[in-house]
Amino acid sequence: MNKRIVIILLCCCGAVIAQLKPVAKDDSLLSSSKKQWIDPQTKPTQKAKALQRIVISYFQNQSSADSLAFYNDLYLRYTLQHKLNTFVVDAYFQKVNAERGRGDWIALIKTGQEALHKIDSLKISVSAHQKSLIIDEMVYGYIFLSDIENAVSYTQQSIEALQKENHNGANNLQISMMYLTTARAFGYTNDYLTSSRYLDSSLVYINQTSDVLQKHYILNDWVSIKIDLKKYAEALPTAYQCLRFFEKNTNIRGLTEIQMLMGRLFLGLRKYDEAIAFSKKSIEKITNTRILYRSYETLYYAYKAKNQLAEALTAHEHYIEFKDKLFNEQVANAKVALERRFAEEKATVLLNKEKAEVAIQKRYRNYFIAGAILLAIVSAVLFFNRRLLQKQNQEIEYQRDTIEKLNVNLEAKVQSRTAELQKAYDEIKDAMQRGQNLERRRMAADLHDNLGSLLTAISISLDNINPQHLNHREKKIYTNIISMTENAYSEIRLLSHNLMPEVLEREGLPQALEQFARKLNLNQKIHFSVKINALPTLSNVVSLNVYAICLELVQNIIKHSKATESTICIFENGTILWVEVTDNGKGLPNNQHKGFGIGNIQTRLETIGGDFLIDKGYSRGTKIVISVPLEGDKMEKPEVI
């Protein structure tokens, strides 16, 4: 036994040392490179190499974004200053690579355009392959800013240049990557047919290389396009090929993506068990929003098709959550793209203004010189020149007025476009809310009609059993079955009311809560009372979420509090709607607040901008206080009591 412990300790120490060695090596390389850069005896070429190693080290370790940005700029300035053209191209590539990692798409495009301009203006001898590396990074910036036209234009130019220099297939891998980038650009606009054609071209070139990993990444995209085109049977063999490859090579990125795609594929083939199994696997080890959104979408439709409504509801909540995240990212990208276009248009106007002023200044100087020369000749010529200058000044004022009007029009266009985007966002949000309400109403009806009828039938069947003919053990089982059936029926009624109570839609929040309390008091040992002051007209979103929160708290009280009385009090104070739920039970145990439905309540409160707190000074049971702002985007949150 002692020998085994010693062996295990030695193995652990060895693993720790193995992990520490590369870090020490990297730190040593970084330190020596910085010393070489600082050393005044180091030649310019060696200094450039030292800066290159420093930048690559910071990028690989991802230890300090600020340090990486500082040395990126230093590397680029130094190579330009000393005209080290070979390193200039690499310095630009390292900079755009880091900006893509930060997701700074505006800076990425600006740096890429500057790099291409410098390469041309300095007449740097650079291969099409090196140039395409910078272009590939730029294209991703254009794609994420929804500027597909520029993205496709740059990739086409790069592909043509690479094909001209593709001696003995040297550029096959890079050509394949550029075709793949083009395919993703068209996929971003849902033009799957065009995207599929570029993917096929990408596969032709990647098959001529030895890069098996990149080939299977491209095959993953090919499977995704075929699924979007609903060609499930055609995509299935390739999907299994990718699955086997990524399982064998333990590649998490590729494996989770193909598992997500397999789930979508089997959903299309109506093989719901396989769809559920693959989708569950894909969400185990991934944080990618797009993959999680697609996986939960598949789970939702698969569970719904199998009539597993509880699982479908859970999957649907996650599906909506990640769908909202993707939508918010798209709105943010659209906003950045709009700001970029506005900045470009404004810069163009300013440039034209500067050119006009320079041209006018040149003309003014020329006429002034001519007037000075002719002044000694004849006064009539001087008078002519003075009138001409006055006319030019009027022209300057006219151009300035025109430029100011252009600026005003540009600002108005930006404000109008921003308002349109906000209106579209609000319409989409309202449509999603209406869809959720319809789905809740349908699920509530299904629960009440189907499961309620089933439990009623079970109860009627049990009534036909005569307990007098049962022995003691069977009577106990019979009693437990009746009790569980009644509890299940109560739970279903609570759940169906929680999803979409009809009285809430017809009469409003106060009547819905009062009716709910009356029904509870018929079947529960706890007496519930509702106290509601006069309230303003509440929106459907606020009413539904406040009602659902009250039901969540009531369920917690019934299940956990051991109370005999509970009160729901709702009132308005200024611009805040207050909800207080109290009971005379045993109170909440320490450090277990998150386990009593608080997470669900917080999620609903985030939807309506509300907040909640637990009154820690309440000693007669439990007191929960909910606050919901009724107007304004930002309200002060209540202090913890």
Side-chain angles (χ1 to χ4, degrees), residues 312-329:
L313 179 60
T314 302
H316 184 266
E317 291 176 349
H318 290 299
Y319 158 60
I320 294 299
E321 173 189 354
F322 291 107
K323 186 176 182 180
D324 287 344
K325 286 184 179 180
L326 282 178
F327 176 79
N328 291 335
E329 290 173 2

Side-chain angles (χ1 to χ4, degrees), residues 316 320 431-441 500:
H316 184 266
I320 294 299
M432 289 175 62
Q433 184 63 41
R434 289 196 297 271
Q436 288 179 355
N437 290 342
L438 289 174
E439 186 66 14
R440 286 174 177 271
R441 190 178 293 110
M500 184 54 67

Side-chain angles (χ1 to χ4, degrees), residues 347-620:
T348 302
V349 171
L350 291 174
L351 181 61
N352 292 335
K353 179 180 178 181
E354 290 176 359
K355 288 181 178 179
E357 291 178 349
V358 169
I360 291 170
Q361 289 174 2
K362 287 182 178 179
R363 291 170 63 186
Y364 179 87
R365 185 176 64 250
N366 292 335
Y367 284 120
F368 180 78
I369 293 172
I373 295 173
L374 294 175
L375 180 62
I377 301 173
V378 62
S379 60
V381 175
L382 177 60
F383 177 75
F384 173 80
N385 284 338
R386 287 180 63 187
R387 292 193 62 182
L388 184 61
L389 287 174
Q390 290 175 356
K391 184 178 180 180
Q392 289 173 352
N393 287 333
Q394 291 175 355
E395 184 181 350
I396 292 172
E397 291 298 326
Y398 174 76
Q399 291 182 354
R400 286 178 178 173
D401 292 338
T402 303
I403 291 171
E404 289 177 358
K405 290 178 180 178
L406 287 174
N407 285 333
V408 171
N409 290 336
L410 281 174
E411 292 176 358
K413 288 180 180 179
V414 170
Q415 292 176 356
S416 175
R417 183 57 179 160
T418 303
E420 289 176 3
L421 287 174
Q422 183 62 42
K423 182 179 179 182
Y425 173 77
D426 293 339
E427 289 175 353
I428 292 171
K429 190 173 181 180
D430 290 341
M432 289 175 62
Q433 184 63 41
R434 289 196 297 271
Q436 288 179 355
N437 290 342
L438 289 174
E439 186 66 14
R440 286 174 177 271
R441 190 178 293 110
R442 187 192 64 78
M443 292 182 67
D446 288 347
L447 284 172
H448 186 274
D449 296 342
N450 298 336
L451 292 181
S453 299
L454 180 60
L455 290 172
T456 301
I458 293 172
S459 179
I460 293 172
S461 299
L462 289 172
D463 288 340
N464 292 328
I465 298 175
N466 188 353
Q468 301 301 325
H469 298 298
L470 304 176
N471 58 36
H472 178 72
R473 180 173 175 275
E474 291 173 340
K475 286 181 179 179
K476 187 175 181 181
I477 294 172
Y478 172 78
T479 303
N480 288 337
I481 292 173
I482 291 176
S483 177
M484 287 187 291
T485 303
E486 292 175 350
N487 290 337
Y489 189 73
S490 297
E491 289 289 338
I492 288 171
R493 290 188 63 190
L494 283 173
L495 183 56
S496 64
H497 277 287
N498 192 353
L499 285 170
M500 184 54 67
E502 294 182 1
V503 68
L504 180 64
E505 291 187 300
R506 292 197 313 269
E507 302 180 18
L509 179 63
Q511 291 78 6
L513 287 175
E514 289 173 357
Q515 185 184 90
F516 179 63
R518 287 196 298 272
K519 291 181 180 179
L520 285 176
N521 291 333
L522 294 175
N523 301 315
Q524 299 293 335
K525 297 179 180 179
I526 305 174
H527 181 268
F528 290 89
S529 58
V530 178
K531 298 179 180 179
I532 301 178
N533 294 346
L535 298 178
T537 302
L538 303 177
S539 66
N540 292 336
V541 176
V542 172
S543 296
L544 179 60
N545 282 284
V546 170
Y547 182 82
I549 290 169
C550 290
L551 265 62
E552 184 77 41
L553 294 173
V554 167
Q555 288 177 333
N556 286 343
I557 292 170
I558 293 172
K559 292 180 180 178
H560 307 293
S561 69
K562 295 185 179 180
T564 59
E565 293 182 357
S566 177
T567 302
I568 300 173
C569 181
I570 302 179
F571 59 93
E572 178 200 10
N573 185 4
T575 58
I576 297 179
L577 180 70
W578 293 91
V579 181
E580 295 181 355
V581 181
T582 59
D583 66 71
N584 63 349
K586 62 180 183 179
L588 292 177
N590 293 331
N591 302 323
Q592 293 188 19
H593 297 168
K594 293 293 183 181
F596 288 86
I598 301 303
N600 294 334
I601 294 173
Q602 287 177 327
T603 300
R604 291 187 177 277
L605 286 172
E606 288 174 1
T607 303
I608 55 178
D611 198 5
F612 93 105
L613 60 86
I614 300 171
D615 190 345
K616 298 179 180 178
Y618 191 74
S619 59
R620 291 175 290 175

Side-chain angles (χ1 to χ4, degrees), residues 230-386:
K230 298 183 179 180
K231 296 182 179 180
Y232 307 115
E234 184 179 342
L236 188 59
T238 304
Y240 271 114
Q241 176 187 339
C242 293
L243 180 65
R244 289 191 294 270
F245 174 82
F246 288 117
E247 284 178 341
K248 181 179 179 181
N249 292 274
T250 61
N251 185 290
I252 298 299
R253 170 192 162 190
L255 180 59
T256 53
E257 180 150 7
I258 193 59
Q259 287 171 340
M260 176 271 289
L261 292 171
M262 293 284 281
R264 293 182 62 202
L265 196 153
F266 280 114
L267 179 66
L269 293 172
R270 299 183 180 180
K271 296 184 178 181
Y272 302 118
D273 291 332
E274 290 86 345
I276 291 170
F278 278 107
S279 297
K280 283 184 174 179
K281 288 180 181 179
S282 68
I283 62 179
E284 289 177 354
K285 298 180 180 180
I286 198 69
T287 58
N288 183 279
T289 303
R290 180 182 62 85
I291 292 179
L292 290 170
Y293 155 68
R294 284 296 191 183
S295 298
Y296 280 116
E297 181 186 33
T298 301
L299 286 172
Y300 165 62
Y301 286 112
Y303 281 131
K304 184 178 178 182
K306 288 170 63 68
N307 203 28
Q308 296 181 6
L309 301 182
E311 291 83 353
L313 179 60
T314 302
H316 184 266
E317 291 176 349
H318 290 299
Y319 158 60
I320 294 299
E321 173 189 354
F322 291 107
K323 186 176 182 180
D324 287 344
K325 286 184 179 180
L326 282 178
F327 176 79
N328 291 335
E329 290 173 2
Q330 291 172 352
V331 170
N333 287 335
K335 182 180 179 182
V336 171
L338 187 62
E339 291 173 350
R340 169 179 163 269
R341 292 191 184 97
F342 170 72
E344 289 178 349
E345 292 177 1
K346 188 175 182 180
T348 302
V349 171
L350 291 174
L351 181 61
N352 292 335
K353 179 180 178 181
E354 290 176 359
K355 288 181 178 179
E357 291 178 349
V358 169
I360 291 170
Q361 289 174 2
K362 287 182 178 179
R363 291 170 63 186
Y364 179 87
R365 185 176 64 250
N366 292 335
Y367 284 120
F368 180 78
I369 293 172
I373 295 173
L374 294 175
L375 180 62
I377 301 173
V378 62
S379 60
V381 175
L382 177 60
F383 177 75
F384 173 80
N385 284 338
R386 287 180 63 187

Side-chain angles (χ1 to χ4, degrees), residues 196-211:
S196 178
R197 290 198 295 270
Y198 279 100
L199 273 176
D200 291 338
S201 300
S202 179
L203 282 170
V204 170
Y205 280 93
I206 197 65
N207 284 329
Q208 299 175 26
T209 71
S210 59
D211 195 331

